Each structure stands twice: as structure tokens, then as C-alpha cells.
Amino acid sequence: MAIRDILIVPNPQLKQVSKPVERVDDETRALMDDMLETMYDAPGIGLAAIQVGIPLRIIVMDLAGKDEDPAPQFFVNPQILEDVEDLLPWEEGCLSVPDYYEEVERPRRVKIRYLDYDGKEVIEWAEELYAVCIQHEMDHLNGVLFIDHLSRLKRQRAIRKVQKTVREKALDAAE
Ligand code: K2U
Ligand code: ZN
């Protein structure tokens, strides 16, 4: 397993639409293992393959709390089959938009279909944090960041803030 670099805005690769996986094989599983290790190291609770520069429709997640056993989840070629009108506001962050948080509203429940780590089809409803996170990650697969749901002014402010933080961290590292 390996920890991979996470792409940061405004890297144009993050705007790519990722392609479906043709077959869940050992190469796919090796990538998912790397993604999971990268996510835990960040730390985060979700990660899309495009965030480590691989334009494939793959997501990993682990919503287990700090005091719970890890509960890794793997999603290949995920699709939203149904959603509900009721929206859930949630203060979101993103490993590709570090240190920036804003409220986003998304459907409170979504019915999803995906292939798991072994390529088996799963169909289930996601709600609350699971619904928020899977929709956030599936946005990544379509080249959409959570800041794209914000006003133009807030989005530009977020990118400027991240670029300033990245510059400051680079200067600190150079000293
Ligand atoms: O896509 C990502 O960068 C992963 C996000 C997933 C996420 C976004 C919004 C709301 C919940 C999850 C990162 O995990 S953001 C960091 C984080 C860590 C713990 C809890 C919430 C967010
Ligand atoms: Zn994200």
C-alpha cells in the first residue's frame, strides 16, 4: 500500500469527469487500498480517485467515529437511483480544498447502487452523514467540488484562501 499525493484546487485535473471501471480486479483493489491509506493519513472520511489523480469512478469512505473500529467502504461505479426533496444542510470540507468549510444543502436520503470491493452489486439507502459524504464524493467523480455549490464570490474567496495557505506552508518548509 502507498500514500498518494492529494490534488489541491485550482488543479484542473479535479474538474475532469471520471470514467467507469470496466472490471473490479486486483489492480482496482490495489488502488482502493492506496486510496484508503491516503484517506486515513490525511485524515478524512471519504476520498474519490480523482483526488489522487486517477480519473476512475471509485470512492472510499470510513464513517466510523474516533472510538469505533474502522469501517472502510468501497464504491465502484456508484450511481444515485433516487433521492428525496428534503434537504439537509451540512458544513462541508474537502481534502482538495484544505482548511475551508462552508454549509452546503443536499438531499437528506439517497438510494445508491455500486459495486463493492469484490465487484458485488449493492443497492441501499444512505442518509445523514452517509448521504452527505457519498454525494460529496460522487460530485468529485463528475468534476464538481463542494465550493461549486457556493456563490461565485465565496468560491473565489475559497480558492484565494487555499492558494495563500499553500504558499505560506511552502515558505515555512523552505525556512
Ligand atoms: O472529498 C473529500 O475531500 C473527503 C471529505 C469528505 C466529506 C466532505 C463533507 C462532509 C463530510 C465528509 C473529507 O473527509 S473532509 C474532512 C472531514 C473529516 C471529518 C469529518 C468531516 C470532514
Ligand atoms: Zn472533497
Side-chain angles (χ1 to χ4, degrees):
M1 292 217 276
I3 293 172
R4 299 185 183 218
D5 290 337
I6 294 177
L7 303 184
I8 305 296
V9 292
N11 189 314
Q13 290 183 70
L14 289 166
K15 306 301 283 176
Q16 281 185 79
V17 175
S18 298
K19 297 177 182 58
V21 173
E22 289 180 12
R23 188 176 49 262
V24 180
D25 56 19
D26 288 346
E27 190 179 343
T28 317
R29 281 183 280 273
L31 171 59
M32 292 193 280
D33 292 343
D34 281 1
M35 287 172 63
L36 196 66
E37 186 179 11
T38 301
M39 183 193 79
Y40 286 139
D41 177 72
I45 59 175
L47 191 70
I50 193 60
Q51 292 182 274
V52 292
I54 307 291
L56 289 174
R57 302 187 80 81
I58 300 172
I59 291 165
V60 298
M61 279 169 54
D62 188 335
L63 303 180
K66 284 189 179 52
D67 305 328
E68 295 173 319
D69 293 336
Q73 292 177 270
F74 305 90
F75 304 83
V76 177
N77 300 340
Q79 297 167 290
I80 293 178
L81 302 178
E82 290 178 52
D83 65 13
V84 299
E85 282 188 18
D86 189 18
L87 299 179
L88 174 65
W90 198 283
E91 185 172 81
E92 298 194 11
C94 181
L95 298 175
S96 295
V97 188
D99 305 321
Y100 186 82
Y101 301 90
E102 272 290 351
E103 186 174 281
V104 175
E105 286 193 335
R106 300 180 189 269
R108 179 179 294 274
R109 297 179 75 233
V110 287
K111 187 176 186 181
I112 57 177
R113 172 170 58 198
Y114 61 91
L115 301 178
D116 69 10
Y117 193 82
D118 302 310
K120 185 165 89 36
E121 183 180 79
V122 177
I123 296 176
E124 62 190 10
W125 281 93
E127 51 191 38
E128 299 299 322
L129 177 57
Y130 185 7
V132 170
C133 194
I134 195 65
Q135 291 177 86
H136 176 109
E137 301 308 335
M138 287 181 67
D139 265 358
H140 276 299
L141 303 185
N142 296 321
V144 175
L145 297 171
F146 83 99
I147 56 173
D148 294 329
H149 296 287
L150 307 178
S151 69
R152 180 186 171 84
L153 178 66
K154 281 190 175 178
R155 180 166 56 254
Q156 289 175 335
R157 193 178 292 163
I159 292 173
R160 277 199 302 273
K161 180 174 183 285
V162 169
Q163 288 178 310
K164 180 171 179 286
T165 306
V166 167
R167 275 198 306 273
E168 286 168 351
K169 283 181 179 172
L171 285 172
D172 288 350
E175 281 171 2

